[in-house]
Amino acid sequence: MVAKAVYLLLQPNHPDSRLYIGFESVSKAMSALCTRFEARVSELNPGIEAPTYQLEDIYSWIDTMSEMLIFVAEGGPGGSYSMQTRPWIKSRLVQHLLSLQQGGPPRGRR
């Protein structure tokens, strides 16, 4: 079993709704964040088969969350976690999307 080095906390604008998800890397957390956003876009646009969006749309979605944090493990096992906030998440999201684009445009992103 691979240890989780990154935890994503999502809390929409519902106080009783909080979600923690563990990932092996920041990249996998960013992919999951994109997948959650794409699911939300599809939910809001059921008649559109492959909705497109821009980075600003993801940023707006991130900003609508009551809380969104990422905790990244520092050091080896038993080490501490550093808490990262929205600006850091947005910066890493850009890096993640750019790295995906180098291998060809990702589905649904422009």
Side-chain angles (χ1 to χ4, degrees):
M1 181 176 192
V2 178
K4 305 296 184 196
V6 178
Y7 288 91
L8 172 63
L9 163 67
L10 298 174
Q11 183 174 5
N13 292 327
H14 311 287
D16 296 335
S17 176
R18 184 178 288 167
L19 178 65
Y20 288 93
I21 311 166
F23 300 95
E24 297 170 14
S25 67
V26 170
S27 178
K28 288 184 181 189
M30 294 299 111
S31 288
L33 198 57
C34 289
T35 299
R36 285 192 165 276
F37 173 72
E38 289 171 358
R40 182 68 178 145
V41 169
S42 293
E43 179 182 304
L44 294 173
N45 300 284
I48 300 174
E49 190 171 315
T52 58
Y53 55 88
Q54 295 185 8
L55 189 58
E56 291 80 20
D57 299 325
I58 300 175
Y59 283 0
S60 293
W61 175 73
I62 289 171
D63 290 337
T64 66
M65 294 285 170
S66 178
E67 185 120 44
M68 181 179 286
L69 300 167
I70 287 188
F71 297 90
V72 181
E74 297 197 358
S80 64
Y81 284 80
S82 63
M83 182 179 74
Q84 306 299 335
T85 60
R86 286 183 177 107
W88 186 92
I89 293 168
K90 290 175 182 178
S91 173
R92 288 301 174 103
L93 188 60
V94 169
Q95 291 174 13
H96 176 71
L97 293 173
L98 287 173
S99 72
L100 290 176
Q101 240 178 359
Q102 291 174 356
R107 179 186 60 78
R109 296 180 195 98
R110 56 178 183 162

